[in-house]
Amino acid sequence: GAGVSQSPRYKVTKRGQDVALRCDPISGHVSLYWYRQALGQGPEFLTYFNYEAQQDKSGLPNDRFSAERPEGSISTLTIQRTEQRDSAMYRCASSTMTSGGEQYFGPGTRLTVT
Amino acid sequence: GIQVEQSPPDLILQEGANSTLRCNFSDSVNNLQWFHQNPWGQLINLFYIPSGTKQNGRLSATTVATERYSLLYISSSQTTDSGVYFCAVEIGSGTYKYIFGTGTRLKVLA
């Protein structure tokens, strides 16, 4: 079946603009996670959802970052007033379990802020 | 917070060689996954292994949760094994996020 998909795959934006990154999890997966990966490092947790409820947003760097999953399926990560330090790969993962479980990652969105 | 350290940080092998990658974690974990990030950036699931031993072809993994480490074995390495290997641990306690290790960068030479 189809895996986790993310769009856009690449996004170049100017500093100060808002961006919205989309994640479409594997069908039937109940939990959805967002991570950020800097070059040469492992993914870093941002936030996650069980169904439509945001369970943990402790990894969001500041209040310019927000995420939603209104219908318990597709999720959007929004970054307002982007800064150059926001440039990174943003990854989404989904899982069949609400309490941990094996995570499956999407291809990521490469964000570049100029 | 929990520390997840992987060793070695870098590894160069000749095709056909075997290797062992290690993941040490500083606290009890509920779950552990191994991933391979290929040169194109894809994160590929290798093992979901909170404890015990699993094998998949040339790869196998062992997690000894009580001693807080996991090992990934690669036998008869191939050039397609090149990339970065990450372990990730999930600590539970009301939140189920994964913490990734520092990674092992592997290059297999033909």
Side-chain angles (χ1 to χ4, degrees):
Chain A
V4 178
S5 62
Q6 293 185 244
S7 61
R9 295 290 309 279
Y10 302 91
K11 178 71 177 177
V12 180
T13 190
K14 291 188 186 302
R15 187 179 56 189
Q17 298 293 307
D18 298 351
V19 295
L21 311 181
R22 173 183 163 129
C23 172
D24 198 344
I26 294 172
S27 178
H29 279 203
V30 298
S31 62
L32 185 150
Y33 295 73
W34 283 100
Y35 293 84
R36 179 169 68 175
Q37 186 174 18
L39 208 58
Q41 297 182 21
E44 179 185 9
F45 170 81
L46 295 176
T47 185
Y48 87 96
F49 295 83
N50 283 343
Y51 301 98
E52 72 282 359
Q54 192 170 21
Q55 299 293 320
D56 184 338
K57 55 180 182 179
S58 62
L60 295 177
N62 51 59
D63 60 9
R64 295 186 297 106
F65 288 72
S66 63
E68 63 174 10
R69 193 186 184 201
E71 297 178 3
S73 180
I74 293 167
S75 177
T76 303
L77 177 70
T78 301
I79 309 173
Q80 296 179 310
R81 304 182 301 282
T82 53
E83 301 178 4
Q84 285 190 321
R85 59 178 173 159
D86 299 334
S87 297
M89 176 73 83
Y90 289 83
R91 294 192 182 273
C92 170
S94 68
S95 170
T96 59
M97 296 173 62
T98 57
S99 55
E102 186 170 9
Q103 295 194 0
Y104 296 86
F105 279 81
T109 294
R110 169 73 65 191
L111 175 66
T112 302
V113 183
T114 61
Chain B
I2 190 170
Q3 304 297 311
V4 186
E5 295 190 357
Q6 293 184 239
S7 59
D10 296 280
L11 186 58
I12 299 176
L13 298 175
Q14 204 64 41
E15 197 169 29
N18 303 329
S19 63
T20 301
L21 281 55
R22 187 176 181 102
C23 172
N24 288 335
F25 38 96
S26 61
D27 206 344
S28 301
V29 301
N30 286 346
N31 292 300
L32 186 145
Q33 283 191 251
W34 281 97
F35 296 92
H36 174 214
Q37 185 161 23
N38 64 21
W40 295 270
Q42 289 178 287
L43 267 173
I44 299 164
N45 289 37
L46 297 178
F47 294 100
Y48 174 67
I49 184 166
S51 63
T53 297
K54 290 187 177 180
Q55 180 154 10
N56 185 4
R58 297 180 297 103
L59 303 181
S60 64
T62 295
T63 297
V64 184
T66 52
E67 297 187 20
R68 302 181 183 171
Y69 73 88
S70 183
L71 302 173
L72 177 69
Y73 305 95
I74 305 174
S75 64
S76 305
S77 57
Q78 301 176 356
T79 55
T80 52
D81 295 332
S82 296
V84 184
Y85 289 80
F86 289 106
C87 65
V89 301
E90 183 258 299
I91 57 176
S93 306
T95 183
Y96 299 97
K97 61 187 178 186
Y98 275 84
I99 307 298
F100 277 73
T102 49
T104 292
R105 185 173 302 275
L106 173 65
K107 185 162 187 175
V108 181
L109 304 175

